[in-house]
Amino acid sequence: MVLAMAVSAVVPASIALPSLVGLLLVLAAVLLVQRVVLPRRRFTLAMARVPGPPALPVLGNSLILTGGQDEFFRLLKDCAREYGEMFVIWVGLRPFVFVQSAEACQPLLNSSQHIDKSYEYRFLNDWVGTGLITSSGSKWHNRRKLLTPSFHNKVMEDFALTSQTSVNTFIEILGKQQGVFDVLPFAKLCTLDIICDTVMGHHMDFQRNSNADYVEAIAEISGIMQRRFITPWLKPDSLFNISPLGMKQRKCVKTIHKYVDNIIEMREKELQKRAHMNGNVDIGCEPLGSKASKHRIALLDLLLEMRKDGLSDEDIREEANTFMFAHA
């Protein structure tokens, strides 16, 4: 009697368990379709309206994204000629829309709401941190509010005078070239010199010293970033970090940060020395263009001044690296 009752109690439970598991699996499948598959389907159909090269399932256009930076740029030019001023390229399952029209870009560039960066911006974090170019939300708003005065018209006019020396060197070097040559490497070095002068307040003359470790690190990490951008299997950090490119990037970042940190330290000591000579306790900088200013102020000086507004040493480093990244 007891045995019969035990059997009758066990059998329904053994039958109910698979039924419960099956029900949970069905519910999970329904949720997956509702939350992922259907929205993805709607998104894919919407993106299908944007012209672009034919894409394969899962791989997208990855098979034609096998070259370096030059090949990628030529591909974009070819797509622009074939598909017009707006086209899409699929990198794996992620579509990237390229827009050439200034009118089409303006609403996004002027927006203070559409500031969330794409997944790929995370690739820059090891290099530039979460500064103005990579941050979003309240940090982006606060940082932009602090930095906007640094780009006042008067500041930019003053920097134009600083840039003249680098531009003259650029013209001189171009004048020594013979035959047909690629102007881009020379232009990038000129830009780097200008940024070092205006942002860091330090003249490096990279145009005449193009083999410097910092220049080589910038060139190498730029290529690594571009390769990771167009290679789906290099996007996950877990795979990229153990790849040869990941190891090269860590070496480049170390070189770049060492250079920028040294410049920040040198500039801060220089400003402190200047303030001490002037009898000031604070670093204090005269406004750009003022008659009282004997020294031209770099953007780094303004960042150092913003410590009193809550900018930390790490924040200063992030923004300094962000400005330097602008030339890459």
Side-chain angles (χ1 to χ4, degrees):
M1 181 70 176
V2 174
L3 180 60
M5 292 177 62
V7 171
S8 64
V10 170
V11 171
S14 63
I15 295 175
L17 184 59
S19 300
L20 180 60
V21 172
L23 179 61
L24 291 176
L25 289 175
V26 170
L27 290 175
V30 170
L31 287 174
L32 179 65
V33 170
Q34 184 181 12
R35 299 290 180 87
V36 178
V37 177
L38 291 180
R40 178 70 185 181
R41 176 65 176 169
R42 288 193 291 268
F43 174 74
T44 304
L45 290 175
M47 292 305 305
R49 298 166 60 185
V50 182
L56 297 173
V58 181
L59 292 177
N61 299 118
S62 298
L63 296 182
I64 63 174
L65 302 175
T66 56
Q69 292 173 291
D70 294 341
E71 289 79 3
F72 182 63
F73 182 70
R74 279 193 285 269
L75 172 65
L76 296 183
K77 289 177 62 179
D78 293 341
C79 288
R81 279 194 294 266
E82 183 172 353
Y83 302 109
E85 64 181 20
M86 180 183 295
F87 58 90
V88 62
I89 289 181
W90 288 80
V91 181
L93 296 174
R94 292 179 60 78
F96 291 87
V97 177
F98 294 85
V99 182
Q100 297 186 83
S101 167
E103 291 75 19
C105 294
Q106 188 174 8
L108 286 175
L109 296 178
N110 287 341
S111 173
S112 59
Q113 296 180 344
H114 301 291
I115 59 173
D116 289 336
K117 309 303 189 297
S118 70
Y119 171 85
E120 284 70 21
Y121 272 78
R122 296 190 311 106
F123 303 162
L124 295 171
N125 287 353
D126 289 342
W127 178 0
V128 303
T130 53
L132 189 62
I133 197 173
T134 53
S135 61
S136 59
S138 60
K139 181 172 183 177
W140 181 86
H141 282 287
N142 293 336
R143 194 64 62 84
R144 182 178 179 181
K145 184 178 179 180
L146 280 175
L147 295 176
T148 295
S150 302
F151 297 93
H152 188 274
N153 288 341
K154 182 57 183 175
V155 177
M156 297 298 104
E157 290 173 6
D158 206 66
F159 285 160
L161 299 175
T162 306
S163 305
Q164 190 61 51
T165 301
S166 297
V167 172
N168 290 339
T169 301
F170 175 62
I171 295 172
E172 177 188 340
I173 291 175
L174 290 186
K176 295 179 180 179
Q177 307 305 310
Q178 297 180 352
V180 178
F181 62 94
D182 185 2
V183 72
L184 182 60
F186 301 100
K188 293 181 73 172
L189 290 175
C190 177
T191 304
L192 182 56
D193 274 343
I194 291 173
I195 290 178
C196 284
D197 282 339
T198 57
V199 173
M200 309 300 283
H202 195 75
H203 184 67
M204 294 300 298
D205 200 13
F206 284 126
Q207 295 183 83
R208 303 185 192 277
N209 186 26
S210 59
N211 294 324
D213 290 343
Y214 181 80
V215 174
E216 293 180 351
I218 289 288
E220 187 165 12
I221 198 173
S222 298
I224 292 172
M225 294 287 181
Q226 188 263 343
R227 170 52 52 192
R228 191 179 183 189
F229 173 78
I230 63 176
T231 308
W233 48 90
L234 288 178
K235 293 193 175 187
D237 290 339
S238 56
L239 295 179
F240 176 76
N241 289 337
I242 61 175
S243 70
L245 287 180
M247 290 183 281
K248 285 183 180 179
Q249 177 172 297
R250 286 192 291 274
K251 183 179 178 181
C252 292
V253 167
K254 184 177 180 180
T255 299
I256 293 169
H257 284 178
K258 181 180 178 181
Y259 169 80
V260 173
D261 289 347
N262 287 341
I263 296 298
I264 292 175
E265 183 179 356
M266 289 170 55
R267 191 66 180 177
E268 187 166 18
K269 288 180 178 178
E270 181 182 339
L271 292 175
Q272 289 174 344
K273 180 179 178 181
R274 190 185 307 164
H276 179 72
M277 292 175 62
N278 293 337
N280 298 325
V281 177
D282 194 7
I283 289 178
C285 297
E286 295 292 342
L288 282 168
S290 68
K291 294 181 179 179
S293 179
K294 297 180 180 179
H295 303 274
R296 199 171 303 281
I297 298 175
L299 281 175
L300 178 57
D301 303 346
L302 302 177
L303 291 175
L304 293 170
E305 275 287 282
M306 289 177 190
R307 278 184 175 146
K308 63 178 180 291
D309 297 317
L311 216 61
S312 67
D313 289 347
E314 184 62 27
D315 295 335
I316 293 171
R317 180 188 186 186
E318 286 180 348
E319 296 307 335
N321 277 300
T322 296
F323 288 138
M324 297 298 289
F325 162 77
H327 107 283

